[in-house]
Amino acid sequence: MAYPEVVVDARRGPLAVREVDLSDEDLVLLAELAKGVTVDRVGRRLDISGRTVRRRLRGICDRIGVATAIEAVAWAARRRLI
């Protein structure tokens, strides 16, 4: 599903609105991390490896424009997606 994201320049205000695509699985992954579940346990719950969880998390971070998993969880929580 696509979620609108406003790109802001501190000096000039909002510059553009872009769509951010996150799947339901992406949101489940972020919700589990928000609960404090480790990456390896998230993998077991989703029936994938911890390495795959980390790779997917990196992709999520790249798509939404953040640097860390914590920022990704905060991003999703602020938008009430998780």
Side-chain angles (χ1 to χ4, degrees):
M1 180 173 278
Y3 301 96
E5 176 72 10
V6 178
V7 180
V8 178
D9 181 332
R11 295 169 292 192
R12 294 185 280 175
L15 297 177
V17 175
R18 65 183 171 129
E19 296 284 318
V20 177
D21 286 326
L22 293 178
S23 69
D24 290 338
E25 286 183 357
D26 293 337
L27 295 177
V28 168
L29 189 149
L30 291 173
E32 290 295 315
L33 291 174
K35 294 177 195 173
V37 178
T38 65
V39 169
D40 291 327
R41 285 196 180 185
V42 170
R44 278 184 252 148
R45 288 182 184 183
L46 300 177
D47 199 30
I48 57 178
S49 72
R51 184 174 180 172
T52 300
V53 172
R54 287 180 190 87
R55 184 181 52 78
R56 285 187 182 177
L57 187 55
R58 181 74 258 147
I60 292 168
C61 289
D62 290 344
R63 279 181 272 152
I64 64 176
V66 299
T68 67
I70 293 169
E71 290 175 321
V73 168
W75 182 93
R78 279 194 305 271
R79 286 154 184 80
R80 297 185 180 178
L81 301 174
I82 57 172

